[in-house]
Structures are given as C-alpha cells and as structure tokens.
C-alpha cells in the first residue's frame, strides 16, 4: 500500500503540471483542470475506501472518532487538493519548485507540532527532518 501511495503521489506531481499546461496550450482554461481533478479525487479515494471496507472492514476505534474532526480533516485535504491543482500550471509555480515545495511540509509539520501541541519529536525523527531540510536547502542553491 505504501508503494502504491508513493507511485500515485509521483504520478500526480508529474502528470498534473503536464495536464494543466497541455489544456492551456490547447486553448482551454485551468478551470477545466480544477473541475476534472475535483471529480477524480473523490473517485480515486472512494475506490481505495471501498477496497479497505471490503478487505478490512471498519474497526470499532475508527467508528468512535468524532465526525466533526473527520470533517475538518477532509475539508483541509480538499483545500490542499484545490491549491495543488491551482498551482499546478507552470506559469504560476515553476516546475523546479513544484518538486521541492511538498518536501517542505516535513519541517513545517515539526514546527507546527511544537507550536500547537508543545511536543518535540524524537532524536531519530529530528535527524530525518534535518536531512530533509538540508536537502531542501541544497536543492534551492
């Protein structure tokens, strides 16, 4: 499952800018790309959810989660998808930055965790986050 997630994320990072630029070059509008992606995200996630429900079922601890919190997570995910699609055109966000920016979420998550929860990460996690941050700095230079 992890390999499938990585492959799909790489596919999205490569295909979405190409698709957006292709639609604009053909005389279309990026609004079409936004609508198409808004249609395909629920279809893709729905298929994954259906497969999980068929093969694994829904554990009791997942059914006990508050629906409001799950809604907020889904809303944040939807807004993230909207912004990713909006920024996918290379005239808005250079192609080199499109590969770098998602990795910046790791150090930002560490900082947000400290600010919101007042919890620090472990030594191994800090080392991995430092490697990612160093990679971001090297790729920007």
């Amino acid at each position: 499952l992890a390999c499938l997630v990585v492959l799909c994320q790489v596919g999205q990072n490569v295909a979405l800018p190409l698709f957006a630029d292709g639609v604009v070059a053909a005389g279309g509008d990026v609004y079409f790309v936004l609508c198409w992606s808004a249609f395909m995200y629920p279809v893709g996630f729905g298929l994954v959810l259906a497969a999980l429900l068929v093969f694994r079922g829904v554990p009791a601890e997942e059914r006990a989660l508050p629906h409001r919190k799950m809604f907020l997570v889904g809303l944040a995910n939807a807004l993230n998808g909207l912004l990713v699609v909006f920024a996918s055109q290379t005239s808005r966000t250079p192609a080199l930055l499109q590969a770098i920016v998602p990795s910046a979420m790791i150090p930002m998550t560490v900082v947000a965790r400290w600010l919101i929860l007042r919890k620090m990460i472990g030594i191994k996690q800090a080392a991995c986050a430092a490697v990612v941050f160093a990679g971001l700095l090297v790729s920007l230079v």
Side-chain angles (χ1 to χ4, degrees), residues 16 19 32-47:
L16 197 56
F19 183 52
F32 171 76
V33 177
L34 178 65
C35 290
W36 179 256
S37 298
F39 173 74
M40 291 308 294
Y41 274 109
V43 170
F45 286 123
L47 291 172

Side-chain angles (χ1 to χ4, degrees), residues 19-140:
F19 183 52
D21 287 343
V23 167
V24 171
D29 191 8
V30 180
Y31 184 71
F32 171 76
V33 177
L34 178 65
C35 290
W36 179 256
S37 298
F39 173 74
M40 291 308 294
Y41 274 109
V43 170
F45 286 123
L47 291 172
V48 171
L49 178 63
L52 286 174
L53 290 176
V54 167
F55 294 114
R56 186 181 66 127
V58 181
E61 57 269 3
E62 287 184 17
R63 278 184 262 142
L65 289 173
H67 289 105
R68 182 175 183 272
K69 289 184 179 180
M70 295 300 288
F71 172 78
L72 292 175
V73 169
L75 179 65
N77 191 17
L79 291 174
N80 177 49
L82 179 77
L83 293 174
V84 164
V85 171
F86 181 76
S88 66
Q89 192 177 0
T90 55
S91 64
R92 290 193 177 119
T93 306
L96 294 174
L97 279 180
Q98 288 187 14
I100 296 170
V101 171
S103 298
M105 287 191 328
I106 295 171
M108 287 190 287
T109 303
V110 171
V111 172
R113 176 188 164 117
W114 180 76
L115 289 175
I116 296 170
L117 301 176
R118 298 286 183 214
K119 290 183 179 180
M120 286 304 296
I121 58 176
I123 298 296
K124 292 179 182 177
Q125 293 169 328
C128 292
V131 168
V132 169
F133 188 69
L136 287 170
L137 290 178
V138 167
S139 64
L140 289 174

